[in-house]
Amino acid sequence: VREYLQQNVYEALQSRLKFIFEEFDKHISFSGGKDSRLLLNLTLDFRDKYYPDKTVGVFHQDFEAQYTVTTEYAER
């Protein structure tokens, strides 16, 4: 059974990011795709606002089956 929250998607993300920053270390996985890019930027914005002393480490693995521009973006 699906349970709906009384939060919008952005508010739910903020709650989850708070939990992550309080409970886990600093690394996140990053595919380099558009969804991953958005989530990384939202995470960095959240970090800058609420946890500026925390480090966010980004893990990206090139499986040699990705577009070259995706890997170049991830490296930047």
Side-chain angles (χ1 to χ4, degrees):
V1 174
R2 190 174 282 189
E3 182 179 328
Y4 292 93
L5 303 175
Q6 298 298 316
Q7 297 177 307
N8 63 39
V9 173
Y10 183 76
E11 291 167 343
L13 172 65
Q14 298 294 296
S15 297
R16 290 181 177 119
L17 287 173
K18 182 179 186 302
F19 175 79
I20 289 167
F21 273 91
E22 290 177 356
E23 299 294 328
F24 297 98
D25 287 331
K26 57 187 176 186
H27 301 286
I28 63 171
S29 181
F30 178 68
S31 71
K34 62 184 182 291
D35 295 335
S36 187
R37 293 178 200 182
L38 174 63
L39 186 55
L40 177 60
N41 283 302
L42 288 169
T43 301
L44 293 174
D45 289 346
F46 182 87
R47 186 271 321 261
D48 292 346
K49 185 173 183 178
Y50 298 107
Y51 298 92
D53 295 332
K54 292 259 188 168
T55 300
V56 174
V58 177
F59 173 78
H60 174 77
Q61 184 169 352
D62 180 4
F63 291 104
E64 296 182 7
Q66 297 175 199
Y67 294 111
T68 303
V69 293
T70 301
T71 300
E72 289 170 354
Y73 176 83
E75 288 172 351
R76 280 194 312 274

